[in-house]
């Protein structure tokens, strides 16, 4: 049976990748707004419970099609440690992100969690062996200086939520770097 997809070329793959990223951003924004709304309607509900239901929904989305196709073994991947670490870092980042949303709200939490890009640039040389230019190092220092201005040392409730959001950004960056590391290992094997 022939696929109805055009042959992959760089322009098609780039367009598809960009559309996937925009869709992912929209869906993550919707998820974060939903976490805030759930917390707003039920202030006694713990962030851990919200995280549990998100993980359960994710499990069902993955498990049901795999069961229907008889491919549950594929859910365990190919055993690369980098991909297992990606799952661990990603799940931890998501739970911290939800806890931060509950403590400091979706706006500030999203801003601090978006620090993942800064952490990717900071940790790329260590994890992937990439080199940063002097300009990149200066940008990293400037970005962290800006992020530090958001921290409210006088309010411990906010400080904990802000720290959770920043740690979520770090763990998200580690998850992204683990995917890049796994892809680089695959390219080296070819």
């Amino acid at each position: 049976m022939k696929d109805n997809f055009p042959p992959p070329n760089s322009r098609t793959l780039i367009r598809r990748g960009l559309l996937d990223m925009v869709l992912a951003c929209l869906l993550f924004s919707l998820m974060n707004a939903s976490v805030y709304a759930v917390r707003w309607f039920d202030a006694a509900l713990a962030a851990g419970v919200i995280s549990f239901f998100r993980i359960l929904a994710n499990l069902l989305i993955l498990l049901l099609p795999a069961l229907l196709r008889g491919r549950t073994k594929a859910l365990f991947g190919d055993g690369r440690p980098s991909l297992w670490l990606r799952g661990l870092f990603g799940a931890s980042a998501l739970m911290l992100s939800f806890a931060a949303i509950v403590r400091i709200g979706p706006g500030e939490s999203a801003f601090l969690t978006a620090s993942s890009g800064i952490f990717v640039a900071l940790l790329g040389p260590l994890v992937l062996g990439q080199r940063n230019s002097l300009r990149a190092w200066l940008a990293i220092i400037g970005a962290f200086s800006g992020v530090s201005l958001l921290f409210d040392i006088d309010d411990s409730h906010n400080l904990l939520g802000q720290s959770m959001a920043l740690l979520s950004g770090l763990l998200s960056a580690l998850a992204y770097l683990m995917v890049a590391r796994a892809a680089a290992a695959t390219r080296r094997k070819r």
Side-chain angles (χ1 to χ4, degrees):
M1 180 179 197
K2 264 188 159 177
D3 290 330
N4 292 328
F5 298 108
N9 62 42
S10 62
R11 181 170 259 153
T12 303
L13 291 175
I14 289 170
R15 244 189 237 132
R16 174 67 192 263
L18 288 173
L19 287 174
D20 287 346
M21 288 178 3
V22 167
L23 179 61
C25 286
L26 289 172
L27 291 173
F28 268 102
S29 296
L30 178 63
M31 177 183 63
N32 288 341
S34 298
V35 168
Y36 186 71
V38 165
R39 180 62 181 199
W40 191 72
F41 284 114
D42 187 357
L45 191 62
V49 173
I50 299 169
S51 295
F52 171 78
F53 280 104
R54 192 277 185 188
I55 291 167
L56 183 64
N58 194 40
L59 181 64
L60 291 174
I61 289 169
L62 292 173
L63 191 59
L64 290 178
L67 285 171
L68 291 173
R69 293 182 181 143
R71 299 190 60 209
T72 54
K73 190 175 179 182
L75 291 175
F76 293 98
D78 59 8
R80 285 184 278 180
S82 292
L83 295 180
W84 284 94
L85 285 172
R86 182 263 172 242
L88 177 68
F89 292 142
S92 300
L94 190 68
M95 287 188 270
L96 280 169
S97 173
F98 285 1
I101 289 169
V102 166
R103 287 188 173 272
I104 60 175
E108 189 175 3
S109 174
F111 190 86
L112 288 168
T113 302
S115 66
S116 61
I118 307 167
F119 284 115
V120 166
L122 176 70
L123 298 172
L126 180 67
V127 176
L128 301 175
Q130 298 174 334
R131 292 181 154 221
N132 283 343
S133 66
L134 177 61
R135 195 182 306 179
W137 286 114
L138 292 173
I140 291 167
I141 291 167
F144 276 120
S145 298
V147 166
S148 71
L149 295 174
L150 287 176
F151 277 77
D152 186 4
I153 306 291
D154 297 331
D155 186 352
S156 63
H157 181 77
N158 276 354
L159 186 59
L160 180 60
Q162 292 163 332
S163 299
M164 289 173 156
L166 192 62
L167 183 56
S168 174
L170 171 63
L171 291 170
S172 293
L174 287 170
Y176 302 147
L177 289 167
M178 290 301 107
V179 171
R181 179 186 251 179
T186 301
R187 282 192 298 273
R188 280 192 300 269
K189 286 182 182 178
R190 288 182 187 170

